[in-house]
C-alpha cells in the first residue's frame, strides 16, 4: 500500500529533495515508467505528490486527476484496432491537462522519448482544440486528426467521450481516396 516506514519517511527532507533536483530527466522518466507499469500507479503518484517529491523535479507538475484513475487500466475496444502502452497512457492521462507551454517544459525536463513527446504534446493541443472542433464536418475532423498519434486521439476519447473521435478511430481514418487526378481527367473533368 506504499506505506513507508517512519525511518524511511524521515529521509525525505530538504537535503534529499535537493539531490532529486539534480537527477537527469532520463533517470526520473525511467522511475516513472516503472511506476506506470505497477497496478497501483495512481496511488503511488498521489503519494509521491503528497510527499512533495514532484515539486523537486518541477513545481508545475499537476496532480493525477482522480477522474482519470480508472482509465489507466482501460483497453481500447477491438473496433479501434490500436494497441496502447500502459506507460504512455499513464503519462498522457497524468499530464494532458497541463498548459501547452508547461507541457513543453515537462517533456524536456523528463527527457521524453520522441514518440512520447509527440503524443503528449499532441494530446495537450487536441484537448485545447476540442471545443472549436465540435462543429467540424467528418472530412475536417479527419484532416485535423490524421496528423495526431492514435494514442493521443484515444486518450482524448477516453476523457471526453467525443463521438467524432470514436468515428475517426473506427471509420474515418480508414477511408482513402481511390481516384486520382488522371482518373478525373479521363472522365472529362477539367483541371482545378
Amino acid at each position: 500500500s506504499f506505506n513507508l516506514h517512519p525511518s524511511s519517511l524521515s529521509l525525505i527532507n530538504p537535503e534529499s529533495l535537493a539531490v532529486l533536483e539534480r537527477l537527469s530527466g532520463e533517470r526520473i522518466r525511467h522511475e516513472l515508467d516503472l511506476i506506470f507499469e505497477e497496478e497501483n500507479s495512481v496511488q503511488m503518484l498521489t503519494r509521491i505528490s503528497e510527499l512533495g517529491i514532484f515539486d523537486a523535479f518541477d513545481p508545475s507538475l499537476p496532480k493525477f486527476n482522480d477522474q482519470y484513475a480508472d482509465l489507466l487500466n482501460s483497453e481500447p475496444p477491438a473496433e479501434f484496432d490500436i494497441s496502447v502502452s500502459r506507460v504512455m497512457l499513464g503519462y498522457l492521462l497524468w499530464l494532458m491537462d497541463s498548459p501547452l507551454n508547461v507541457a513543453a517544459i515537462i517533456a524536456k525536463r523528463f527527457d521524453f522519448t520522441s514518440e512520447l513527446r509527440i503524443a503528449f504534446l499532441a494530446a495537450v493541443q487536441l484537448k485545447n482544440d476540442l471545443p472549436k472542433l465540435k462543429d467540424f464536418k467528418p472530412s475536417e475532423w479527419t484532416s485535423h486528426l490524421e496528423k495526431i498519434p492514435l494514442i493521443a486521439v484515444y486518450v482524448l476519447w477516453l476523457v471526453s467521450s467525443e463521438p467524432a473521435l470514436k468515428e475517426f478511430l473506427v471509420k474515418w481514418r480508414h477511408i482513402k481516396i481511390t481516384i486520382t487526378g488522371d482518373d478525373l481527367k479521363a472522365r472529362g473533368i477539367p483541371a482545378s
Side-chain angles (χ1 to χ4, degrees):
S1 300
F2 206 58
N3 290 321
L4 295 175
H5 189 273
S7 64
S8 296
L9 195 57
S10 70
L11 295 175
I12 301 173
N13 56 43
E15 185 179 332
S16 64
L17 292 175
V19 171
L20 292 179
E21 290 176 20
R22 295 190 302 268
L23 287 178
S24 72
E26 182 180 12
R27 173 67 191 273
I28 298 166
R29 189 189 73 248
H30 174 71
E31 295 301 326
L32 290 168
D33 289 353
L34 294 174
I35 288 172
F36 281 122
E37 290 174 358
E38 294 286 336
E39 186 177 326
N40 297 320
S41 51
V42 174
Q43 294 89 329
M44 294 169 75
L45 291 172
T46 300
R47 183 69 170 131
I48 291 169
S49 180
E50 290 169 354
L51 293 171
I53 294 171
F54 285 144
D55 290 338
F57 302 138
D58 189 330
S60 62
L61 280 174
K63 290 183 169 47
F64 197 100
N65 188 330
D66 291 336
Q67 296 175 347
Y68 303 160
D70 291 337
L71 301 176
L72 187 55
N73 296 316
S74 67
E75 289 288 328
E79 64 185 336
F80 284 13
D81 191 29
I82 60 172
S83 61
V84 173
S85 151
R86 178 183 168 88
V87 171
M88 191 176 290
L89 181 63
Y91 280 112
L92 296 186
L93 287 169
W94 174 30
L95 300 169
M96 76 175 168
D97 291 335
S98 303
L100 198 53
N101 62 327
V102 172
I105 293 167
I106 292 169
K108 185 175 182 179
R109 174 62 181 110
F110 288 160
D111 195 21
F112 281 176
T113 63
S114 176
E115 180 184 21
L116 177 55
R117 182 181 51 77
I118 290 167
F120 167 48
L121 295 176
V124 171
Q125 185 66 57
L126 181 56
K127 190 157 197 285
N128 290 331
D129 291 346
L130 212 52
K132 61 185 172 192
L133 299 174
K134 290 279 187 196
D135 296 325
F136 274 23
K137 294 183 262 182
S139 60
E140 294 171 311
W141 273 101
T142 301
S143 177
H144 189 79
L145 296 175
E146 67 188 356
K147 302 170 192 114
I148 296 173
L150 294 177
I151 190 168
V153 177
Y154 171 66
V155 167
L156 262 293
W157 173 77
L158 276 177
V159 301
S160 72
S161 299
E162 170 58 53
L165 296 175
K166 180 177 181 177
E167 285 295 308
F168 173 77
L169 290 168
V170 173
K171 182 168 68 171
W172 300 338
R173 72 183 172 116
H174 300 292
I175 298 173
K176 304 293 181 214
I177 296 174
T178 58
I179 195 166
T180 67
D182 291 334
D183 296 329
L184 296 175
K185 286 180 191 176
R187 293 188 179 171
I189 298 174
S192 80

